[in-house]
Each structure stands twice: as structure tokens, then as C-alpha cells.
Amino acid sequence: MPELPEVEVIRLGLNELIIGKKFSDVEFDWVKSFPNAKNDIKLFLLNAKVINIQRKGKSIIINLSSNYSLVIHLRMTGQLIYRGEDAQFGGGHPSESLVGNLPDKSTRVIFTFSDKSKLFFNDQRKFGWVKLVPTSLIEEISFYKKLGPEPLLKSFDAVVLHERLLRKANTSIKAALLDQTVLAGVGNIYADESLWTAKIHPATQVKKLNIEETTKLTRAIKAVLKLSIKNGGSTDRNYVNARGQRGNYLVFANVFRLNGKPCKRCGTIIIKIRVAGRGTHLCPSCQKIK
DNA sequence: CACTTGACCTGTCCGC
DNA sequence: TGCGGACAGGTCAAGT
């Protein structure tokens, strides 16, 4: 669920909250949530300071003064929540947080900074992970080697998307958009929203798209992602930002989770089908299969 | 080789 | 009320 906009909103929050802070302790009980921690944390995490925070696709990279980096993937249900030193509720605004006292039963890793504030990695379904890797080796991570272009860069345009789609000619456009090697950061919510905006049926074979449709789709992807970031991302089930607050994008959603409701463009009832093994929402009038 | 399916997990919801 | 099963959907490994 955390897709590009949600991860970007977390990054922006962490940028305000933890830059310059020094790690003083780390605790974890679920080994798979922090698989390589044992070997390296004492030398390269404790006493290291946070230099800056990046995002690549749906992952977060916290660069440290030790020339190591924490690489974090939230997968389905991961959360990164900062709490100030003065309260478990954090920041003195418990009512703003969707999350109660921390740690709770889905807390997997607890980072403590030297000022006693904490960063909690919560992950109900345990699919997410934190890894500590040398900063110089980040580009060698196989996931990053294969990762497609960032859709919000100016350099990402219809020509680039068309090129990336060439080797996926026989699959559906929805499967292609979800494929992180085609482009980075789009997941189920924004794939459905972008395809509705561009008036393309999600099951359309990639090779049947013309340049006009690819251009519309490129614009739609950028617009949808930007609107979501502006509104704090999508809280479908349990996404929260670094302050534990929910996002508001789904107020603006046009199809996602709106099956049974009228299409905002034409009034036809939105349906939910399965495409590429995923729940897929579309307007059967606006988005015709070719 | 391209593409699909299953595994990884837990919580929620639905039908019986 | 309890219980089994479907479902949620990101990524990798295994299978077709």
C-alpha cells in the first residue's frame, strides 16, 4: 500500500524530524524485519548521525555519517513513525495520530536517538524490512539495479514510457505499470487511478496502445502522483506518515475502492474485476477494451 | 525467456 | 458466537 506518494510523504516528514539525530540504541525481535542487523549495527549504526533521506521507488534510504545507510521497504503494511522524547504519543499531539501507544504488537524495530526520541518501524504483516548497507554499495542492490525510472522526474515522458513498455508488449498495461522494472513507484491504487484518468482499460494489451494513449497515460501518472503527495498520500487501511497521521488522497480518488458508485465523468457504475492477479477498479464506459 | 502463480504474513470480513 | 476461508496487495522465487 505505501506506494510512491506515501513513501515520499514519509520522507518529507523524516526530513523535518530526524536530520542530524544520533542513533544510540536499536531493538528488534523479528529477525526478518532487520535481517543483517546483528553483524553491523554496533559498528555502523550506533553513534552515527542522520545525514539525509532519499526515496527510490517505494523504498526509503537513510544515509548515515558512518558511510552506511538504512534501506527500508515498507511493502504492504510497514510504517515509520517518529515519537518525540517527551511522550509515547509524540509531539504532544496524540489526537492527530492514528496510532496509539508505541511500541505496540506490530512494532518490529525500535530506533532510539541520543535525545531519547524514537523511530518505530511497525509492520503488521512482516513483509517489510530494514537493511544496513554500505552507502557506496546501494546501487549494487539487485532491486535497485532493475528499478525503472522515477515517474516524477522531468526526464520521464511519453517517449521514455513507450520505450520501457516495448519489452512488455504482450502483457496488460496494468501488469506493466505495477512492474517496478518498467517504472518505479506505481502500485495498485495509482495504476487504477492513472488508467481511469487516461481512459484506458487496465486489461489492454500494451502493444495495442497508440502514442496518443501513452502520452495521456504519462500525464495521468504524473498528475495522480503529484495530487496524492500534495494530499498526504492514501490511507486505505493503515498507512500513516512519519507523525502517525493519515493521508487524504482517497477523497479525490476516481475509481479505487469506488465499485458500485457512479463514474464522476459519465455516471456509469464503476466495477471491480481482477487483472494481473489484483483487484482492479474501472469505469466500463470510459475505459473500453480494445 | 515471458509471464503467471505461490509464498511470505496478519487482520478483517463474510457466510454458515 | 465461533470458525473456516477469501481477501487485502509489494516483491521475489518457483513453476508453466
Side-chain angles (χ1 to χ4, degrees):
Chain A
M1 295 183 197
E3 304 178 28
L4 187 155
E6 290 74 35
V7 178
E8 179 65 12
V9 170
I10 291 172
R11 187 188 73 80
L12 292 168
L14 291 177
N15 246 342
E16 292 178 5
L17 293 166
I18 66 167
I19 297 290
K21 294 201 184 266
K22 187 164 81 177
F23 287 93
S24 65
D25 194 17
V26 57
E27 304 155 73
F28 53 96
D29 57 356
W30 185 255
V31 173
K32 288 180 181 175
S33 293
F34 203 165
N36 66 341
K38 276 189 183 160
N39 302 327
D40 296 331
I41 49 174
K42 285 201 171 131
L43 276 173
F44 301 110
L45 179 64
L46 301 186
N47 292 318
K49 284 185 180 174
V50 176
I51 302 293
N52 59 39
I53 300 152
Q54 298 172 261
R55 178 190 58 73
K56 271 183 190 285
K58 301 171 188 171
S59 72
I60 287 202
I61 302 169
I62 301 176
N63 291 313
L64 308 176
S65 57
S66 57
N67 292 323
Y68 267 62
S69 300
L70 288 168
V71 180
I72 301 166
H73 202 303
L74 303 172
R75 295 284 191 104
M76 307 287 296
T77 56
Q79 303 171 322
L80 276 175
I81 307 164
Y82 174 83
R83 290 285 163 94
E85 64 274 19
D86 52 339
Q88 285 181 304
F89 291 113
H93 302 290
S95 61
E96 288 182 12
S97 179
L98 194 66
V99 183
N101 283 326
L102 290 176
D104 64 20
K105 64 181 173 179
S106 65
T107 300
R108 308 298 170 210
V109 186
I110 306 171
F111 298 98
T112 303
F113 297 108
S114 59
D115 64 0
K116 306 296 183 199
S117 61
K118 291 176 190 288
L119 182 64
F120 294 89
F121 174 60
N122 271 22
D123 187 19
Q124 181 185 97
R125 288 173 68 180
K126 301 180 176 175
F127 288 174
W129 43 257
V130 180
K131 288 174 186 166
L132 187 62
V133 299
T135 304
S136 60
L137 295 183
I138 281 183
E139 300 296 332
E140 304 302 312
I141 295 173
S142 61
F143 174 73
Y144 287 151
K145 276 187 171 174
K146 294 181 290 186
L147 193 63
E150 288 285 336
L152 289 182
L153 293 181
K154 279 238 168 66
S155 54
F156 180 80
D157 57 19
V159 175
V160 172
L161 181 58
H162 176 72
E163 280 171 11
R164 307 293 302 181
L165 287 173
L166 283 180
R167 61 214 169 89
K168 297 286 169 186
N170 291 314
T171 193
S172 66
I173 184 61
K174 168 118 182 197
L177 291 180
L178 294 177
D179 186 335
Q180 301 299 293
T181 69
V182 172
L183 76 163
V186 172
N188 208 38
I189 297 174
Y190 302 107
D192 284 4
E193 290 295 313
S194 299
L195 289 166
W196 180 89
T197 302
K199 298 187 181 179
I200 298 169
H201 193 292
T204 306
Q205 264 195 316
V206 167
K207 64 184 171 194
K208 293 189 177 167
L209 293 176
N210 58 39
I211 187 64
E212 186 191 343
E213 288 168 318
T214 305
T215 302
K216 270 191 195 168
L217 183 55
T218 305
R219 292 198 188 119
I221 291 166
K222 287 176 184 271
V224 164
L225 295 177
K226 281 183 192 165
L227 180 64
S228 182
I229 292 170
K230 194 176 160 189
N231 287 281
S234 297
T235 296
D236 177 27
R237 289 189 150 72
N238 68 354
Y239 165 74
V240 291
N241 67 18
R243 293 180 169 83
Q245 301 155 326
R246 54 189 297 125
N248 291 317
Y249 172 77
L250 288 184
V251 171
F252 302 89
N254 292 303
V255 280
F256 188 78
R257 287 279 157 83
L258 293 175
N259 38 311
K261 304 252 166 61
C263 170
K264 291 175 191 171
R265 232 168 7 211
C266 74
T268 304
I269 298 300
I270 290 163
I271 59 171
K272 181 177 180 183
I273 61 175
R274 277 192 102 70
V275 178
R278 306 293 167 81
T280 298
H281 312 76
L282 68 130
C283 169
S285 295
C286 294
Q287 299 167 269
K288 294 267 193 233
I289 190 91
K290 288 215 279 188

